[in-house]
């Protein structure tokens, strides 16, 4: 049996891997409290741990998920740990219900808390194999059948047949164990690096619903990373030239002898963002993840307004950006009679934007388009783009299509690209992240623009 | 009865209906002697929790309402300038006679020091809530209300207090706590609190109560209400909270509304009653429009 200390420490370790900062003090608090409340009631344990370890609202969701994962094992103590000289699992392996056995294996896997890195996989697999009795099952099977043979209960033929059947079954179970462990390791954060990186880099359309959910959870983590990168970059670029005037003024206090060097603080120019998002169905994931990432750094902008369009335009700035924004969008569209399923028409959309929201555009505005630029052969609205170009500071275009798609069919990118400061292919969360980083650091044009896209422009 | 159940009972005698989470939070607060940060929408009962805690602990409640620009002078201590001036005026002749033999300014100062005349002593110190909370005797509950409205600098003062139980006053030195108050900090999440503060505290996220709990709260505060009506009221309110409103009705508004209804002698909710009294429940004009539009009033 694991001690309470061990269980709580392991849980804290797991929380940390998911970016929830749990210090030794919190662990101590939790233990202290649990020794008084006892650990018989699951909900009390959950509340105590939550209140001592979770400090931010968003962490609560992650906490609940991890709590389920971690403490599920506690209610099902490993059933199959070998006792005595033969594995009680053998009979089960040979004659039991396979599904039931897999369920138990899963519980077994989840009850374990791995530490260390991915190289542990082998060792971990071995532990589960041993604990479940699968590791020694072949030898035991042979010994068992041998005994039966010697007793004369089975014939040589039956011996061979049973041995083969049993071995096939054992191999099959062992194969099933592998993905089970892999899944658990990912869930517990051990294998995060490999899987998650690939998730972040994978293109949205190729992700399953489950993977998308995982990615959503990750957005917060990536958002925090982004803020760290930004504040580090900011520190280096903040200092400006000497401020002679202020230095002289300060020196009055010391009889005109300047003691302190005073630098001009470079003012951070916070841009105003206007986001124009194509919400036809092909664009949804790009939009959602863009909003989630942008949400993490919203303080970097003096205002952010969000407009959606299909064949007309509507402001939706107030939807919750980091919580199922698309669901809200759906409700809102329905309520306002905005047709999400109409044919995309860029010209009409831009026109309707200008008619209703032109005041959103100022000299300090950066406009970001998210769209595939496909206008169903309708007017792309070049005139409006031209006017917009004259007013605003920057226009960027995020397009989930690869560049070669930009010149085919009804894509109007060839028109739009004349008016933008940068056009980017954003197909994965990594692309989004890079774009937002460069946008906030004010080096939007240089870093992610595809050379091919620039060639199109010329 | 478990600890948690006991605390629930105690809170109930202090007119506060707690669920398991809240009771656990109070339990942890007492057990670990750590500050408790309560976050949640306005009206969810954050401040009330602090008050109820003071009642069950039979403690002095020291409340510090935060606002933008709250500074040391209002939160910790202040020198009573006018009193200092008054003393100087009153004591002028006395001081004159004391220092009449002094040749230089330096000598005069030394004489004054020897006589124990100090204008920066406890006598001229005005104690503001934070200082009051740690000096004095008996149990105290320090309720720091809506900390997210204060500036981040304020969190720094609070941190020194909460981590070391001391406050530094430059002119006097460090004041060590004579007692450790229970600390309840509420926040509406207008601004993110600093990690340093979060790390030192327990956390309770307080949402609007469940239907059952709200009914209990309602009956506690409006005892004359009939069971049937109470049920209708809390169900209606729960439904309203699902609509996106600028200011969803809080339990205190539910209570107000129920009071109004009982005062009017209404025994059953119907469309007309709702329409005539809804303004006690929903305050924002735009919210009223939204409700009208979505047909909640018909």
């Amino acid at each position: 049996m694991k001690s309470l200390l061990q269980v709580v420490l392991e849980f804290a370790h797991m929380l940390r891997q998911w970016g929830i900062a749990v210090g030794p003090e919190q662990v101590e608090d939790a233990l202290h409290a649990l020794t008084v409340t006892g650990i018989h009631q699951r909900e009390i344990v959950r509340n105590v741990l939550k209140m001592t370890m979770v400090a931010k609202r968003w962490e609560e969701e992650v906490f609940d998920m991890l709590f389920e994962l971690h403490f599920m094992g506690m209610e099902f103590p490993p059933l199959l740990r070998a006792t005595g000289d033969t594995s009680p699992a053998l009979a089960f392996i040979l004659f039991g219900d396979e599904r039931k056995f897999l369920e138990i294996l899963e519980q077994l896997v989840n009850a374990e808390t791995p530490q260390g890195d991915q190289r542990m996989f082998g060792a971990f697999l071995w532990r589960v194999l041993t604990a479940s009795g699968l590791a020694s099952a072949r030898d035991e099977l042979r010994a068992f059948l041998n005994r039966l043979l010697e007793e004369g209960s089975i014939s040589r033929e039956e011996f061979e047949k049973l041995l083969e059947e049993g071995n096939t079954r054992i191999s099959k179970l062992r194969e099933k164990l592998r993905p089970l462990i892999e899944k658990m390791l990912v869930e517990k954060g051990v294998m995060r690096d490999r899987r998650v990186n690939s998730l972040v880099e994978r293109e949205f359309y190729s992700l399953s619903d489950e993977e998308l959910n995982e990615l959503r959870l990750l957005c917060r983590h990536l958002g925090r990373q982004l803020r760290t990168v930004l504040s580090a970059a900011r520190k280096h670029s903040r200092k400006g030239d000497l401020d002679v005037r202020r230095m002289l003024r300060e020196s009055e206090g010391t009889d005109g002898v300047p003691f302190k060097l005073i630098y001009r603080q470079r003012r951070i120019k916070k841009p105003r963002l206007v986001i124009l998002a194509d919400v036809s169905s092909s664009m949804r994931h790009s939009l959602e993840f863009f909003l989630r990432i942008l949400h993490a750094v919203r303080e970097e902008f003096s205002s952010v307004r969000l407009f959606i369009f299909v064949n007309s335009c509507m402001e939706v700035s107030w939807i919750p950006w980091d919580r199922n924004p698309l669901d809200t969008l759906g409700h809102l569209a329905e309520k306002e009679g905005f047709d999400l399923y109409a044919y995309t028409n860029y010209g009409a959309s831009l026109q309707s934007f200008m008619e209703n929201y032109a005041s959103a555009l100022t000299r300090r505005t950066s406009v970001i388009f998210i769209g595939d630029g496909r206008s169903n052969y309708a007017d792309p609205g070049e005139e409006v783009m031209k006017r917009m170009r004259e007013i605003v500071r920057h226009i960027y275009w995020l397009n989930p299509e690869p560049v070669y798609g930009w010149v085919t069919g009804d894509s109007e990118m060839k028109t739009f690209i004349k008016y933008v400061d940068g056009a980017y292919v954003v197909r994965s969360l990594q692309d989004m992240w890079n774009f937002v980083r460069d946008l906030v650091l004010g080096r939007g044009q240089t870093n992610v623009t595809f050379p091919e896209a620039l060639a199109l422009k010329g | 009865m478990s600890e948690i159940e006991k605390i629930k009972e105690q809170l109930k005698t202090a007119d506060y209906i707690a669920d398991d989470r809240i009771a656990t939070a109070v339990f942890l607060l007492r057990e670990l002697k750590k500050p408790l940060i309560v976050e949640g929408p306005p009206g969810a009962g954050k401040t009330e929790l602090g008050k109820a805690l003071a009642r069950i602990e039979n403690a002095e409640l020291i409340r510090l309402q935060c606002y933008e620009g709250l500074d040391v002078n209002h939160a910790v201590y202040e020198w009573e300038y006018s009193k200092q001036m008054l003393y100087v005026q009153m004591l002028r002749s006395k001081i004159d006679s004391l220092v009449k033999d002094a040749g230089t300014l330096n000598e005069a100062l030394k004489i004054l020091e020897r006589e124990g005349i100090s204008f920066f002593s406890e006598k001229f110190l005005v104690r503001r809530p934070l200082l009051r909370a740690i000096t004095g005797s008996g149990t105290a509950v320090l309720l720091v209300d809506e900390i997210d409205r204060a500036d981040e600098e304020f969190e720094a003062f609070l941190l020194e207090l909460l981590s070391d139980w001391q406050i530094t006053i430059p002119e006097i030195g460090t004041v060590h706590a004579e007692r450790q108050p229970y600390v309840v900090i509420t926040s509406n999440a207008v601004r993110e609190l600093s990690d340093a503060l979060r790390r030192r505290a327990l956390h309770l996220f307080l949402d609007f109560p469940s239907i059952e709990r709200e009914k209990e709260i309602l009956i506690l505060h409006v005892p004359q209400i009939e069971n049937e009506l109470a049920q209708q009221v809390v169900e209606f309110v729960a439904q309203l909270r699902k609509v996106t409103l600028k200011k969803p009705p809080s339990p205190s508004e539910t209570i107000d509304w129920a009071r109004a209804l009982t005062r009017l002698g209404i025994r059953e909710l119907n469309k007309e009653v709702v329409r005539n009294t809804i303004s006690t429940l929903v305050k924002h004009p735009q919210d009223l429009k939204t409700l009208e539009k979505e047909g909640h009033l018909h």
Side-chain angles (χ1 to χ4, degrees):
Chain A
M1 265 302 270
K2 282 178 192 162
S3 69
L4 180 63
L5 171 71
Q6 216 175 345
V7 172
V8 173
L9 274 177
E10 281 169 0
F11 185 59
H13 180 74
M14 188 154 93
L15 290 176
R16 273 181 226 126
Q17 282 175 323
W18 282 88
I20 300 180
V22 181
E25 201 187 327
Q26 276 79 21
V27 173
E28 209 185 303
D29 285 346
L31 284 169
H32 177 144
L34 286 179
T35 45
V36 182
T37 56
I39 48 170
H40 311 295
Q41 274 168 287
R42 189 187 173 78
E43 279 315 299
I44 289 185
V45 174
R46 182 202 292 271
N47 283 335
V48 165
L49 290 179
K50 191 184 277 182
M51 279 165 208
T52 48
M53 293 177 165
V54 168
K56 292 178 186 169
R57 190 103 218 208
W58 68 261
E59 293 173 351
E60 218 175 356
E61 213 175 287
V62 181
F63 175 94
D64 282 333
M65 186 190 86
L66 295 179
F67 183 86
E68 289 301 328
L69 259 172
H70 191 69
F71 290 97
M72 190 166 66
M74 277 184 60
E75 288 182 350
F76 313 100
L79 295 172
L80 295 171
R81 253 178 233 288
T83 49
D85 45 339
T86 52
S87 159
L90 185 59
F92 210 176
I93 290 172
L94 290 178
F95 313 110
D97 177 20
E98 186 182 304
R99 235 189 30 233
K100 186 85 193 148
F101 187 73
L102 281 175
E103 255 170 47
I104 292 171
L105 273 188
E106 199 167 349
Q107 284 163 13
L108 197 61
V109 164
N110 282 312
E112 298 272 353
T113 303
Q115 270 150 0
D117 57 22
Q118 302 162 22
R119 274 168 298 166
M120 292 280 299
F121 183 83
F124 187 72
L125 179 66
W126 182 245
R127 270 223 308 285
V128 180
L129 283 176
T130 322
S132 63
L134 269 177
S136 53
R138 277 195 190 139
D139 293 340
E140 277 175 35
L141 176 66
R142 183 173 283 275
F144 175 66
L145 291 177
N146 257 331
R147 243 186 356 257
L148 292 183
L149 187 66
E150 276 161 23
E151 285 168 15
S153 322
I154 51 172
S155 69
R156 188 83 219 170
E157 250 171 45
E158 278 171 314
F159 172 85
E160 294 293 343
K161 191 167 155 264
L162 279 173
L163 188 66
E164 202 196 311
E165 266 180 24
N167 278 338
T168 321
R169 194 140 183 205
I170 292 169
S171 305
K172 225 164 97 191
L173 287 172
R174 284 178 77 135
E175 268 166 42
K176 295 219 164 124
L177 191 58
R178 190 171 271 277
L180 221 55
I181 292 178
E182 216 154 29
K183 183 168 149 254
M184 185 276 303
L185 286 171
V186 168
E187 275 166 357
K188 295 199 173 177
V190 176
M191 291 224 318
R192 192 171 59 184
D193 289 349
R194 202 178 76 202
R195 261 277 310 259
V196 158
N197 273 348
S198 76
L199 266 189
V200 170
E201 279 162 17
R202 286 222 338 249
E203 299 169 352
F204 293 130
Y205 72 84
S206 71
L207 299 173
S208 68
D209 283 350
E210 204 175 310
E211 287 170 325
L212 282 171
N213 275 333
E214 214 172 310
L215 206 55
R216 284 184 185 113
L217 215 53
L218 264 170
C219 270
R220 299 213 174 95
H221 185 70
L222 288 170
R224 260 198 320 276
Q225 248 177 32
L226 188 58
R227 281 204 296 275
T228 320
V229 170
L230 291 181
S231 74
R234 182 94 9 93
K235 253 180 213 148
H236 293 296
S237 65
R238 193 73 172 277
K239 247 184 198 174
D241 305 329
L242 269 187
D243 189 339
V244 180
R245 232 179 69 158
R246 274 191 57 209
M247 254 173 69
L248 285 178
R249 202 164 57 212
E250 289 277 310
S251 71
E252 288 301 309
T254 46
D255 275 347
V257 184
F259 270 100
K260 233 169 112 187
L261 291 176
I262 296 172
Y263 293 94
R264 234 181 271 278
Q265 293 264 314
R266 221 174 265 162
R267 263 199 33 221
I268 304 169
K269 286 182 222 128
K270 292 190 174 179
R272 294 179 185 158
L273 281 195
V274 164
I275 300 163
L276 279 159
D278 177 352
V279 281
S280 55
S281 55
S282 58
M283 298 297 310
R284 304 267 162 87
H285 290 315
S286 307
L287 176 61
E288 178 188 343
F289 285 104
F290 180 63
L291 293 183
R292 281 173 188 270
I293 288 290
L294 200 60
H295 178 77
V297 290
R298 66 204 175 286
E299 275 123 26
E300 302 292 331
F301 306 98
S302 74
S303 75
V304 184
R305 292 177 73 177
L306 172 63
F307 302 89
I308 55 170
F309 64 85
V310 176
N311 62 6
S312 68
C313 196
M314 173 171 89
E315 175 160 17
V316 292
S317 306
W318 44 82
I319 62 169
W321 290 35
D322 58 338
R323 263 165 216 287
N324 306 331
L326 296 189
D327 289 352
T328 322
L329 215 60
H331 292 309
L332 211 61
E334 201 175 321
K335 218 166 87 186
E336 301 288 326
F338 182 92
D339 189 359
L340 283 173
Y341 303 97
Y343 281 116
T344 317
N345 183 332
Y346 275 72
S349 301
L350 284 169
Q351 198 62 45
S352 119
F353 173 77
M354 274 305 194
E355 273 162 24
N356 298 310
Y357 308 109
S359 62
L361 304 178
T362 68
R363 262 180 38 236
R364 278 178 56 205
T365 311
S366 293
V367 178
I368 299 174
F369 281 92
I370 308 178
D372 55 11
R374 294 195 178 271
S375 190
N376 293 303
Y377 299 104
D379 165 37
E382 188 166 359
E383 276 308 306
V384 181
M385 282 299 281
K386 208 183 270 174
R387 253 174 62 213
M388 192 180 276
R389 174 73 275 182
E390 281 160 12
I391 304 170
V392 304
R393 187 190 213 73
H394 296 297
I395 302 180
Y396 303 110
W397 198 293
L398 309 183
N399 192 330
E401 282 195 7
V403 174
Y404 58 77
W406 295 12
V407 284
T408 60
D410 59 346
S411 177
E412 295 294 343
M413 285 309 286
K414 50 190 181 298
T415 312
F416 296 133
I417 209 151
K418 287 189 256 174
Y419 303 99
V420 304
D421 298 275
Y424 311 94
V425 177
V426 284
R427 293 166 73 74
S428 66
L429 195 59
Q430 186 71 56
D431 293 341
M432 287 290 176
W433 196 90
N434 289 345
F435 172 77
V436 174
R437 179 195 59 199
D438 292 345
L439 176 74
V440 181
L441 287 180
R443 53 179 197 212
Q445 301 91 316
T446 51
N447 231 353
V448 222
T449 314
F450 274 65
E452 302 100 297
L454 281 176
L456 265 179
K457 199 173 178 181
Chain B
M1 195 159 44
S2 77
E3 287 292 319
I4 308 290
E5 289 298 322
K6 252 184 253 167
I7 290 174
K8 266 198 200 164
E9 286 299 313
Q10 285 177 336
L11 283 171
K12 195 166 178 186
T13 59
D15 289 352
Y16 194 91
I17 306 284
D19 59 14
D20 278 348
R21 281 164 46 103
I22 297 174
T24 310
V26 171
F27 163 76
L28 289 173
L29 172 85
R30 279 169 157 180
E31 191 64 33
L32 301 172
K33 304 266 182 307
K34 286 195 133 192
L36 173 70
I37 297 181
V38 191
E39 281 182 277
K46 302 185 293 292
T47 307
E48 281 310 311
L49 179 60
K51 291 184 186 164
L53 178 68
R55 281 198 292 273
I56 64 174
E57 287 291 331
N58 218 347
E60 178 189 357
L61 179 71
I62 298 167
R63 182 170 172 177
L64 175 62
Q65 173 66 49
C66 297
Y67 51 87
E68 219 176 307
L70 175 70
D71 57 5
V72 189
N73 291 342
H74 287 100
V76 189
Y77 69 93
E78 193 170 21
W79 293 108
E80 213 163 344
Y81 178 69
S82 48
K83 197 168 160 194
Q84 285 170 331
M85 285 312 287
L86 209 63
Y87 267 64
V88 174
Q89 293 293 335
M90 276 161 39
L91 296 176
R92 175 172 273 166
S93 58
K94 178 80 181 140
I95 292 173
D96 279 351
S97 69
L98 267 178
V99 300
K100 69 175 187 296
D101 296 329
T104 63
L105 183 64
N106 230 343
E107 280 173 27
L109 280 174
K110 273 193 188 133
I111 294 170
L112 286 183
E113 260 170 43
R114 206 171 50 224
E115 294 293 320
I117 297 176
S118 167
F119 289 104
F120 291 107
S121 62
E122 301 248 338
K123 193 185 283 174
F124 299 104
L125 194 64
V126 186
R127 287 159 200 277
R128 298 290 185 197
L130 291 191
L131 192 57
R132 266 206 340 263
I134 62 163
T135 55
S137 56
T139 336
V141 171
L142 172 63
L143 176 63
V144 181
D145 224 354
E146 304 189 324
I147 190 173
D148 48 337
R149 287 202 190 183
D151 310 308
E152 280 190 50
E153 289 91 352
F154 172 71
E155 278 183 36
F157 302 128
L158 201 57
L159 266 182
E160 189 193 352
L161 178 76
L162 297 182
S163 54
D164 300 330
W165 295 106
Q166 62 178 40
I167 285 177
T168 307
I169 299 175
E171 295 87 349
I172 294 181
T174 305
V175 179
H176 292 280
E178 293 160 10
R179 61 173 169 186
Q180 260 196 34
Y182 294 111
V183 182
V184 177
I185 300 170
T186 77
S187 162
N188 289 330
V190 169
R191 168 174 69 75
E192 287 254 312
L193 302 182
S194 76
D195 283 347
L197 183 61
R198 286 181 180 279
R199 237 193 356 261
R200 284 183 176 78
L202 303 163
H203 296 269
L204 173 68
F205 302 104
L206 207 57
D207 274 321
F208 290 132
S210 63
I211 291 186
E212 295 76 34
R213 209 182 124 222
E214 184 155 29
K215 189 174 166 194
E216 256 188 276
I217 296 173
L218 190 57
I219 290 171
L220 184 75
H221 287 273
V222 194
Q224 67 274 28
I225 195 167
E226 274 169 47
N227 190 40
E228 192 68 13
L229 181 62
Q231 185 67 28
Q232 285 179 340
V233 164
V234 291
E235 274 172 15
F236 182 78
V237 171
Q239 211 185 342
L240 280 197
R241 288 194 188 124
K242 286 191 199 137
V243 186
T244 356
L245 294 180
K246 284 204 149 131
K247 165 82 184 68
S250 67
S252 67
E253 275 143 344
T254 313
I255 293 169
D256 285 347
W257 190 44
R259 266 204 196 114
L261 292 176
T262 46
R263 198 65 61 81
L264 290 168
I266 285 158
R267 324 191 81 186
E268 200 185 13
L269 277 192
N270 59 41
K271 304 274 146 94
E272 203 191 329
V273 168
V274 170
R275 217 162 338 144
N276 290 338
T277 55
I278 191 83
S279 53
T280 31
L281 190 61
V282 178
K283 308 280 171 65
H284 210 286
Q286 200 176 332
D287 286 345
L288 285 176
K289 256 187 229 156
T290 313
L291 292 180
E292 185 81 37
K293 210 163 135 194
E294 294 196 4
H296 288 274
L297 306 183
H298 301 292

